[in-house]
Amino acid sequence: MAKKMGAKPRIGLLGTGPWAARTHAPALAGHAGVEFSGVWGRRPEAAAGLAAASGVHAYDDVDALFEASDAVALALPPDVQAPLAIRAAEAGCHVLLDKPVATTVAGARAVTEAVEAAGVASVVFCTLRFAEPTARWIEERAADGGWFLGEAHWLGSLYGPGSTSDYAASPWRREKGGLWDVGPHVLSVYLPILGDVTDITAVPGPDDTHHLVLRHASGASSTATLTLSAPPEAAEAALTLYGTGGRAELPRWDGAVGAFGAAVDALVTAARTGEPHACDARFGLRLTEILTEAEHRAATRT
């Protein structure tokens, strides 16, 4: 049975890596409307360190953290996240998931089915759907309609020459590349504005680069170039729409902590009202389906 959100919901954190330490933990610790109920990690010493820095308890037993929480936020590799999200849902905890939910359709579907069976709320933290001013821009462009074409490129330099990013040590990012790491961001903008993807063409580029051409339910088409291997001098994220209203460029956004706080608010609202959020586990499943198809189509071209 899903837990009821009290006046100050208890939210725990699963994960201790750079993303958890820089985004999730500060957002939860600084959120006046929730109680940060504790940290669990696969490395107990890292969990202890992050918990101490956040002024909360570290849990060695993840089930104990579920018991002490009304909801949990997950900052884990996707295929570690999925089974733990299922366990959290079965324990009645609402879940704030990271993108991608899983890197297999079966894994993402299992999360979605567990969430729906337990009746818990879910939100997938696609940063642009919660950051200001991008969240407002997406809502406004979806209301405008009349879009003919979208063009996007997300050129990350995580694996570019001279990179010293802590995220470069992530095995799942190394294996799955920009398609799976930054692809969800681009899709999370395109789908609410242009509609679901109905056809995909995918071509591999240098290193982990993928070039996508997408057809959408609205009749519009879009393109996306995704990579984590761009030279640092070329790193950039941009998305432009063209249509009857002219040209619209996705605005810049600043940081992820505030956006994560907005995602926390969205989860609490969904849990209290029973109204699913547009960016929920089922949306996360659709992202995994699209990325899996794109990966398959690119592989057949090699």
Side-chain angles (χ1 to χ4, degrees), residues 15-87:
T16 60
W19 188 229
R22 295 172 185 172
T23 300
H24 295 62
L28 290 171
H31 197 301
V34 305
E35 176 188 340
F36 188 3
S37 54
V39 177
W40 173 88
R42 292 175 292 167
R43 295 175 295 126
E45 68 281 2
L50 182 56
S54 305
V56 298
H57 182 67
Y59 286 82
D60 294 329
D61 180 357
V62 71
D63 293 305
L65 179 56
F66 295 155
E67 186 176 349
S69 306
D70 303 309
V72 291
L74 296 98
L76 296 162
D79 295 324
V80 175
Q81 167 178 250
L84 285 167
I86 291 169
R87 287 173 61 182

Side-chain angles (χ1 to χ4, degrees), residues 13-27 42-43 46 50 75-77 98 158 164-173 256-257:
L13 173 60
L14 278 63
T16 60
W19 188 229
R22 295 172 185 172
T23 300
H24 295 62
R42 292 175 292 167
R43 295 175 295 126
L50 182 56
L76 296 162
D98 209 359
L158 192 64
T164 58
S165 172
D166 291 340
Y167 298 107
S170 167
W172 84 265
R173 286 187 177 87
V257 174

Side-chain angles (χ1 to χ4, degrees), residues 69-125:
S69 306
D70 303 309
V72 291
L74 296 98
L76 296 162
D79 295 324
V80 175
Q81 167 178 250
L84 285 167
I86 291 169
R87 287 173 61 182
E90 291 172 344
C93 292
H94 307 278
V95 289
L96 181 43
L97 303 155
D98 209 359
K99 58 79 199 162
V101 171
T103 63
T104 66
V105 172
R109 182 175 293 118
V111 172
T112 302
E113 291 174 350
V115 163
E116 293 177 349
V120 300
S122 63
V123 166
V124 179
F125 182 45

Side-chain angles (χ1 to χ4, degrees), residues 244-268:
T244 56
R247 170 187 173 124
E249 295 186 2
L250 183 74
R252 300 294 178 183
W253 65 98
D254 183 23
V257 174
F260 191 77
V264 170
D265 292 337
L267 181 71
V268 171

